[in-house]
Amino acid sequence: MNPVFSPSVQEFQREFADFLRGVVPDGWAGAGALPHDEFPAFAADLRRALYEGGYLGVDWPVEYGGRGLTPEHQVAVAEQLTRMRLPQTSLSDVFGMQMFGTTVLAFGTEEQKHRFLPGILSGEVKWCQGYSEPQSGSDLASVSTAAVRDADGWHINGQKIWTGTAHFADWIFALVRTDPEAPKHRGLTLLACPLRQPGIEVRPIRQMWGDAEFNEVFFTDAITADDNVIGGVNNGWRVATALLEHERGGAAAVLAVRFEEELDRLCELAREHRRDKDTDIRQRIAWCRARVLAMKLLGYKALTRSLRGQPIGAEAAMTKLYWSEYHVVLTDLAMDILGDEALVLRGRRAVLADGPDAPGAPTDSAGWITAFLASRSSRIYAGTNQIQRNLLAESILGLPREPRPA
Amino acid sequence: MDFTFAQEQEDLRDAVRSFLRKRAGEAARRELLHTGYAFDREIWRSMARDLGLQTLAVPEERGGSGASFLESMIVFEETGRELFSGPFFSTVLATWVLEASASDAANTALQQVADGDLVLTAAIADESATRAVATPGGHRLTGAKARVTDLPVADAFVVWAQTAEGPSWFLVPAGADGVETTAEESLDLARPIGTLRLTDTPATLVVGPGQAVAVRESVDTRACVALAAELVGTAQAALDQSVEWSKSRHQFGRPIGSFQALKHLCADALVEVEAARVLTHYAGWAIADGQADAPVLASMAKQAAADAAAQAAGNNIQIHGGIGATWEHEAHLWLRRAKASGALFGTPRQHRARISDLLPV
């Protein structure tokens, strides 16, 4: 047992820290301290610098633009970024690099890897994920958006919803029904599809915290080429569920570092409100500290497995469940510390509402209130936590499945 | 990065698990329910002589196996899983004090523990102030120690007492003059607890005032992680029992484990056990590796494991329905252990207070 970065990764992390010191300006207070409207441009510049410096996709194979290093290096990069109060690249990279990129690496053809991966890494092509549908909810296998093949390729008709970043994406990877006669898990296909075409309309959905991060996407005879099938026709369920493991579990250790920074910021809030000696507040902060460490260690365990070439599997559901439930507790605590100041949104709003805000963010009430509201959605997206519990009970504990209607 | 145990450590776990299953598993728990606590010295000797468990982390030159704290922690997880009815925690705890002593008395005692001939316990908490007076013939102790684990079966006690120069550790044989033991009715049936009264009792100084406080701190840290490991084992055992029962018990025409209400209880327990387990293993590694933050990590592990065990054991009773609430069924043994060990060496609340003291809010 040696739950620390190996010496070569530590050395790599030091190099990366030196690199970042050349990127951030003097007197750097953190990306979260930037004015709200300056953040997107800053994040885009940072992404470009990371790409040019060779620090994006460090664990991707060299032939597709990566550095050919290990997932341990990838975690070290993410940790260092947060330590220097920098955000993790851009929001669309979650879909492009982490989810679609990893899936193409696992299931794509050689031609697809060469065609898709370098553009994802450079940021030239932005991706979004088309899974959910208005009627499918947690029953992902019931999606009904249909794709039919003819000489032009695949014709897609239907509607997707909760499509994060679709408003600025270039491509979508969509789970579509390609065999309506087959049992519902067997007639699905994962299709990559250009988003900017006449057959596609994107409509933003405003969330309860005020921002519009998600969209509805309408397909009306949209077309994508035959060679954009990922992982085989009617094999979509297998490909899609493998992809979800990346969404839920891959970044566990990385997330924890962001939560550590956020918890320190909450302590600052407690001090500002003179609640740092309050027994109840101290109890809850201590509980959070242990949770955040456990999150990191669950990530280290998953990282160890992936370094040994073992799949993350259903345990990814554990990470998703653990962090999203934690974040609800943490943001409740912030609201309690704010007391009646939580009645008013004052100061800077969160620039990142998905999990902790950007490192170095102020302790303004608007930021915590946004996080409080947004934390409720993290228990729902990427599969509700009730679905995660079913998955854990069935896949890890081996409990019997719910009988399905014939 | 490697957050797994080495093969030899996994082998140790397997060996301990199969030994305890065979010699001290379910049958011993039935006995506990029907005839009460009965400590089997034969099993104890076999644990010491054949497997070396009591002195696994004691240096070889002092009669032990020279393993690290991590190996001990693995054994604690297994004794907790089987709810081993023997003074394992108490004895190992006492050896941590003796290890810090270069005295002949400590050496002799450690060797006897290694041979399976000596059961020890540590008497730390005061019922009333315990004072040691130096006399020409050695020290004499007077006072009372509260909540001494495995008191009824201990052959000797390692006692924390005040001398004129400061706190120290003493070794007191159970048969010494002025020793009076009172067994209590204990919440944890598998770990009897009692009060130890000493009246002008002759005692051997093993760790003096210069060193005693540091030894106590280090013992506290190890005790917390040892108990956390036991609690992780206990939580896992309760969860395993829930899962087995959920698969086999049918209601409304199907296994009850197919109902989401029970699935979610099991899944929540699983997540809490896993989180407590990684915290415990990490704290164990920190102790073995000499990391400076081991004390705060120990507190994190202890509170998480106590909560996880109470949750898993409580759920287990609920999932079993009426049968789970009977004396006959062993489900209450896990709950008793979860709550009792959760309070031993600090409740979750006390540990959370300590975390906030050690890490700035």
Side-chain angles (χ1 to χ4, degrees):
Chain A
M1 177 172 293
N2 199 22
V4 290
F5 289 140
S6 60
S8 65
V9 172
Q10 287 178 27
E11 176 55 36
F12 169 82
Q13 198 177 33
R14 278 192 291 273
E15 283 167 30
F16 182 50
D18 289 342
F19 168 83
L20 288 177
R21 272 187 281 274
V23 171
V24 299
D26 289 337
W28 176 243
L34 295 169
H36 197 278
D37 53 353
E38 285 178 24
F39 179 81
F42 172 84
D45 287 348
L46 175 67
R47 193 194 189 285
R48 199 170 309 116
L50 291 175
Y51 174 69
E52 283 164 7
Y55 289 105
L56 277 191
V58 294
D59 59 342
W60 282 18
V62 175
E63 58 264 45
Y64 314 123
R67 286 273 289 266
L69 301 172
T70 69
E72 196 178 344
H73 292 83
Q74 183 56 48
V75 174
V77 163
E79 194 179 293
Q80 193 60 39
L81 282 167
T82 303
R83 248 191 231 157
M84 297 182 72
R85 305 197 150 200
L86 292 162
Q88 308 292 321
T89 65
S90 77
L91 195 56
S92 67
D93 282 326
V94 174
F95 302 106
M97 289 181 58
Q98 203 173 306
M99 294 172 65
F100 186 66
T102 317
T103 302
V104 169
L105 277 170
F107 292 96
T109 62
E110 204 47 41
E111 184 273 327
Q112 285 172 337
K113 291 179 192 173
H114 282 287
R115 183 153 54 97
F116 289 129
L117 296 176
I120 291 175
L121 213 52
S122 68
E124 199 183 329
V125 184
K126 294 189 175 59
W127 287 79
C128 63
Q129 175 201 32
Y131 271 23
S132 298
E133 293 185 8
Q135 299 306 319
S136 65
S138 289
D139 186 7
L140 181 60
S142 75
V143 298
S144 62
T145 294
V148 177
R149 178 160 45 181
D150 70 6
D152 304 334
W154 293 91
H155 295 251
I156 308 173
N157 282 284
Q159 184 198 343
K160 293 289 175 184
I161 195 169
W162 315 126
T163 314
T165 70
H167 46 309
F168 55 79
D170 306 295
W171 280 66
I172 187 168
F173 52 95
L175 191 62
V176 295
R177 189 156 300 279
T178 41
D179 183 355
E181 307 302 322
K184 67 175 186 175
H185 291 79
R186 300 223 181 101
L188 299 169
T189 299
L190 191 72
L191 268 184
C193 174
L195 201 61
R196 307 230 176 113
Q197 57 167 301
I200 293 180
E201 190 197 345
V202 175
R203 291 186 204 153
I205 303 167
R206 195 171 178 212
Q207 300 302 127
M208 66 171 167
W209 59 94
D211 295 334
E213 287 172 2
F214 294 99
N215 304 271
E216 293 177 288
V217 180
F218 297 87
F219 296 83
T220 313
D221 210 28
I223 292 188
T224 193
D226 196 26
D227 58 6
N228 288 332
V229 169
I230 312 295
V233 175
N234 295 335
N235 192 33
W237 184 250
R238 201 173 138 243
V239 180
T241 48
L243 186 151
L244 282 174
E245 286 174 15
H246 294 293
E247 179 176 13
R248 290 170 186 154
V254 174
L255 264 170
V257 188
R258 293 178 58 199
F259 282 112
E260 272 174 10
E261 193 277 341
E262 185 190 46
L263 187 51
D264 286 342
R265 191 145 37 81
L266 180 115
C267 290
E268 195 181 322
L269 180 75
R271 290 193 297 274
E272 284 168 6
H273 285 74
R274 302 185 185 285
R275 299 292 301 279
D276 53 319
K277 304 286 181 244
D278 180 310
T279 307
D280 172 56
I281 300 295
R282 289 168 73 85
Q283 283 283 323
R284 291 159 72 186
I285 287 173
W287 183 89
C288 289
R289 287 234 185 260
R291 290 256 142 180
V292 171
L293 178 61
M295 204 185 294
K296 187 181 202 166
L297 298 174
L298 290 169
Y300 281 180
K301 219 169 162 179
L303 182 56
T304 302
R305 266 199 300 277
S306 96
L307 290 170
R308 293 175 174 210
Q310 297 158 348
I312 299 171
E315 300 197 15
M318 195 178 301
T319 308
K320 196 271 171 172
L321 181 58
Y322 198 71
W323 81 255
S324 58
E325 292 294 339
Y326 162 82
H327 206 226
V328 167
V329 177
L330 184 279
T331 55
D332 272 340
L333 175 52
M335 296 294 271
D336 282 355
I337 293 171
L338 284 168
D340 60 6
E341 287 184 32
L343 293 170
V344 179
L345 279 83
R346 192 165 286 165
R348 182 187 150 288
R349 299 163 59 90
V351 289
L352 303 177
D354 175 22
D357 196 1
T363 52
D364 297 344
S365 71
W368 292 112
I369 292 166
T370 315
F372 164 78
L373 293 169
S375 71
R376 269 58 191 169
S377 76
S378 59
R379 290 200 291 202
I380 298 166
Y381 66 58
T384 65
N385 284 0
Q386 283 64 38
I387 291 289
Q388 311 294 339
R389 290 185 178 97
N390 287 352
L391 203 84
L392 290 171
E394 289 168 12
S395 304
I396 294 186
L397 299 176
L399 288 174
R401 304 181 72 89
E402 191 98 7
R404 288 170 194 276
Chain B
M1 176 68 63
D2 180 8
F3 197 25
T4 53
F5 292 108
Q7 190 55 49
E8 308 84 75
Q9 291 168 326
E10 292 295 350
D11 292 345
L12 168 71
R13 183 189 292 283
D14 291 345
V16 174
R17 185 177 299 180
S18 81
F19 175 88
L20 290 175
R21 285 255 153 103
K22 215 178 299 162
R23 303 278 308 266
E26 205 183 334
R29 293 195 296 275
R30 293 236 70 82
E31 199 176 310
L32 203 56
L33 291 172
H34 293 297
T35 53
Y37 185 85
F39 167 48
D40 186 334
R41 292 250 174 194
E42 269 316 300
I43 294 172
W44 185 254
R45 271 190 207 100
S46 185
M47 280 171 84
R49 291 178 191 174
D50 304 337
L51 297 168
L53 301 185
Q54 288 91 323
T55 50
L56 210 49
V58 173
E60 286 180 55
E61 62 273 19
R62 305 188 70 179
S65 306
S68 81
F69 181 80
L70 267 183
E71 280 78 14
S72 286
M73 184 189 72
I74 288 169
V75 179
F76 280 115
E77 205 171 313
E78 296 307 314
T79 55
R81 187 191 274 261
E82 288 300 327
L83 221 62
F84 171 62
S85 291
F88 187 76
F89 169 74
S90 304
T91 299
V92 173
L93 179 67
T95 66
W96 292 331
V97 178
L98 298 179
E99 257 183 73
S101 167
S103 69
D104 290 344
N107 281 332
T108 307
L110 285 173
Q111 188 58 55
Q112 287 173 326
V113 171
D115 293 337
D117 294 332
L118 189 69
V119 169
L120 294 172
T121 189
I124 301 174
D126 273 337
E127 169 99 7
S128 63
T130 307
R131 302 196 186 288
V133 181
T135 69
H139 285 86
R140 293 195 165 257
L141 305 189
T142 299
K145 308 302 286 188
R147 295 180 298 285
V148 182
T149 55
D150 295 304
L151 179 78
V153 295
D155 303 312
F157 315 110
V158 170
V159 182
W160 170 262
Q162 300 292 328
T163 70
E165 290 80 34
S168 304
W169 294 95
F170 297 88
L171 188 62
V172 178
D177 290 343
V179 169
E180 186 197 335
T181 62
T182 313
E184 316 268 6
E185 185 178 354
S186 305
L187 169 62
D188 182 352
L189 303 183
R191 180 136 60 210
I193 295 211
T195 306
L196 171 67
R197 289 195 174 75
L198 304 168
T199 311
D200 202 29
T201 301
T204 309
L205 179 80
V206 284
V207 179
Q211 225 193 326
V213 171
V215 169
R216 177 154 177 189
E217 281 165 8
S218 148
V219 166
D220 275 349
T221 299
R222 279 181 277 183
C224 283
V225 179
L227 288 169
E230 271 195 4
L231 285 161
V232 165
T234 298
Q236 185 68 53
L239 174 60
D240 289 347
Q241 200 166 55
S242 298
V243 168
E244 282 315 304
W245 178 253
S246 300
K247 285 184 196 170
S248 61
R249 168 77 170 162
H250 283 64
Q251 293 267 269
F252 305 103
R254 52 176 165 129
I256 59 171
S258 66
F259 290 99
Q260 291 200 3
L262 299 201
K263 269 187 193 155
H264 292 188
L265 284 182
C266 291
D268 283 336
L270 168 73
V271 173
E272 296 305 315
V273 176
E274 278 302 312
R277 195 193 308 276
V278 291
L279 285 169
T280 302
H281 290 176
Y282 189 68
W285 167 80
I287 292 172
D289 205 61
Q291 298 284 325
D293 58 353
V296 71
L297 296 173
S299 280
M300 287 189 182
K302 178 72 171 36
Q303 56 93 36
D307 286 347
Q311 181 177 349
N315 285 358
N316 189 40
I317 289 175
Q318 182 67 19
I319 287 166
H320 276 77
I323 187 77
T326 63
W327 182 273
E328 285 294 306
H329 198 281
E330 66 179 18
H332 65 108
L333 290 178
W334 310 116
L335 183 67
R336 288 165 180 275
R337 167 58 61 89
K339 219 53 196 173
S341 292
L344 203 55
F345 280 84
T347 63
R349 212 177 152 74
Q350 287 166 328
H351 280 290
R352 288 196 273 271
R354 188 158 171 266
I355 292 165
S356 273
D357 291 341
L358 293 171
L359 298 175
V361 168

